[in-house]
Amino acid sequence: MNQIHADIAVIGAGLGGVAAALAAARHGRTVILTEETDWVGGQVTSQGVPVDEHRWIEQFGCTASYRAFRDGVRNYYRDHYPLTAAARADRYLNPGSGLVSRLCAEPGVAVAVLEAMLSPHQAAGRIDLRLRHRPIAAATDGDTVTSVTVENSDGGHVTISADYILDATETGELLPLTGTEYVTGFESRADTGEPSAPAERQPENMQSVTWCFAFDYIEGEDHTIDKPADYDAWRAFQPPYWPGPMLELTAPHPRTLEPITRVLLPHHDEQPGEPPASGSIDLWRYRRILARANFAPGAVPSDIVLVNWPMVDYVSGPLFDAGGNLAEHFEGAKQMSLCFLYWMQTEMPTPDGGKGLPGLRLRGDVFGTEHGLAKYPYIRESRRIAAEYTIVEQDVAASARPENKAKQFDDSVGVGCYRIDLHPSTGGDNYIDVGSLPFQIPLGALLPVRVRNLLPAAKNLGTTHITNGCYRLHPVEWNIGEAAGLLAARCITEGTTPHQVRADQVQLRSFQQALTDDGVELAWPDVAVAI
């Protein structure tokens, strides 16, 4: 068995893990960064979700390094793609012209940019990146994690020891392996006092996962996939709170729960004539990641659309712990997505009164997968540490903050902004969607109640099931990871501990100044607007 050592081990190379590794390496620390898949980037790459961000993202509200990533994506298209003159000159280039984000782009481009950000530190020996490695065991000594063992795709094992261990996995996998106290699912109202919480704890009630995929449209061609074996079962599947079968274009509006019928009209925004009806949700443009109108004529035969829609939210079971059967639910989520694609190709009503769009072509090459879907399902909810401070609904919900400002944290290590957006859950809940206010990330939410040298670096910080709904998005995850990486690096340099940094005002202010010097925003300007 191989044994290796670094100052800091970052397990999981999603956005939080990459940000953590970059932050620690900038300050001269050696980092071992592992990743279960063969792509870094997590939700924006292997899971296929274009960046979900707030309305002010082009001006403020993210870290400098996250902004460098965003700039890098735009520059990649300018450097390597045949953009139109108008697109090339657009300061805020959106390659996909998608509606969900000001920066909808292909996952492969995001991978290339993240790899470029990591590569100088790899060349200098500060970052040792190991893809296709997943954690399988850990060793502890009292309140200290001494090592983590990872297994590679060939079955080989590597044991990593480090002064600090950062859990940046998608589901908080190190928490049970290290015996770190954590929670899952829905806390009760008695636990948290949250208005939207249930009367009883529901630890197996977690947000749905989605196995995303990409497609384009080639008029006149037939790209219909083979009928999935369990298509008929999924075609009939209807949760009791859903307005009809899930494999339809009608789904609840997240905020009102009113049934809304979506539209899918290939390339309609390039054609003369009537646009989709006012108020409808345009699925073709919603998460489009490549818009052919942005490129030289003929360079791109079709737009590419990313599917992360309510119709493929998999609610049939949690992925981990008591109710979780990982292999079963991974396969279930994958089959649900393939069945929805088949339904679109064969049964979906079309404007001319027909059924199906066989020209929809599954683009597995967008992810480099044989099955045609993303490399990994989109994980919305992780295990979460039992933290020194747990962020609750009352801290950020607009309805709970009469002063129209989220709770201000003296120990802020960053900022974020998103609605409390909970998708249908494994416990039978429909959407829970609550307006929120621009918020801060408190250091206390990054500190386990007992374990001294393990830090969360992704969606596994001290939130509740409810507040996870607004702390899980791309720039927030990046900020969490960056703060954790800087904290671990600083503690090694200063000979202190994360808990001591928070407890001592002098150390806390010094650390916050270091964050600011690195381009981490700690507070919002006066934008007291609910979203």
Side-chain angles (χ1 to χ4, degrees), residues 213-216 264 284 303-305 307 309 344 360-361 363:
F213 61 94
F215 64 78
D216 62 8
L264 180 66
W284 185 262
D303 296 353
I304 300 177
V305 174
V307 176
W309 303 339
M344 288 193 295
L360 296 180
R361 179 174 61 170
R363 291 292 303 271

Side-chain angles (χ1 to χ4, degrees), residues 490 501 503-511:
R490 185 172 184 82
V501 169
D504 184 284
Q505 281 290 307
V506 173
Q507 291 193 57
L508 176 61
R509 296 292 173 255
S510 179
F511 175 54

Side-chain angles (χ1 to χ4, degrees), residues 357-392:
L357 288 176
L360 296 180
R361 179 174 61 170
L362 183 63
R363 291 292 303 271
D365 59 307
V366 168
F367 298 99
T369 59
E370 292 185 6
H371 53 62
L373 309 180
K375 291 180 182 289
Y376 203 80
Y378 174 36
I379 309 294
R380 294 183 174 90
E381 185 170 339
S382 174
R383 299 176 180 91
R384 306 179 298 279
I385 63 165
E388 283 203 344
Y389 185 86
T390 299
I391 305 155
V392 295

Side-chain angles (χ1 to χ4, degrees), residues 99 249-254 258-265 268 274-286 311:
L99 302 178
L249 291 183
T250 300
H253 189 285
E258 173 190 2
I260 298 291
T261 299
R262 280 72 170 165
V263 295
L264 180 66
L265 304 175
H268 66 86
E274 293 296 318
S278 176
S280 65
I281 297 178
D282 179 359
L283 292 178
W284 185 262
R285 295 176 61 197
Y286 188 57
M311 307 78 173

Side-chain angles (χ1 to χ4, degrees), residues 436-524:
S436 64
L437 295 157
F439 53 78
Q440 294 173 308
I441 304 167
L443 177 56
L446 272 62
L447 304 183
V449 292
R450 179 183 57 84
V451 179
R452 301 290 98 177
N453 71 328
L454 181 142
L455 296 171
K459 298 184 287 286
N460 51 349
L461 77 165
T463 62
T464 63
H465 171 82
I466 293 172
T467 54
N468 163 262
C470 61
Y471 276 76
R472 63 181 173 84
L473 282 303
H474 301 69
V476 187
E477 181 186 343
W478 183 286
N479 195 151
I480 293 163
E482 186 164 2
L486 289 170
L487 179 61
R490 185 172 184 82
C491 286
I492 294 171
T493 300
E494 301 292 331
T496 188
T497 70
H499 295 77
Q500 289 170 345
V501 169
R502 182 172 186 250
D504 184 284
Q505 281 290 307
V506 173
Q507 291 193 57
L508 176 61
R509 296 292 173 255
S510 179
F511 175 54
Q512 289 175 319
Q513 184 60 55
L515 288 166
T516 300
D517 292 344
D518 261 36
V520 177
E521 298 178 19
L522 304 184
W524 285 91

Side-chain angles (χ1 to χ4, degrees), residues 40 45 76 107-117:
V40 299
T45 60
Y76 191 96
V109 171
V111 173
V113 172
L114 293 171
E115 288 177 340
M117 295 175 76

Side-chain angles (χ1 to χ4, degrees), residues 52-70:
D52 273 323
E53 300 167 330
H54 55 77
R55 67 181 70 174
W56 304 284
I57 192 66
E58 304 294 359
Q59 289 76 43
F60 49 80
C62 69
T63 76
S65 62
Y66 182 77
R67 191 167 302 285
F69 161 66
R70 298 178 85 257

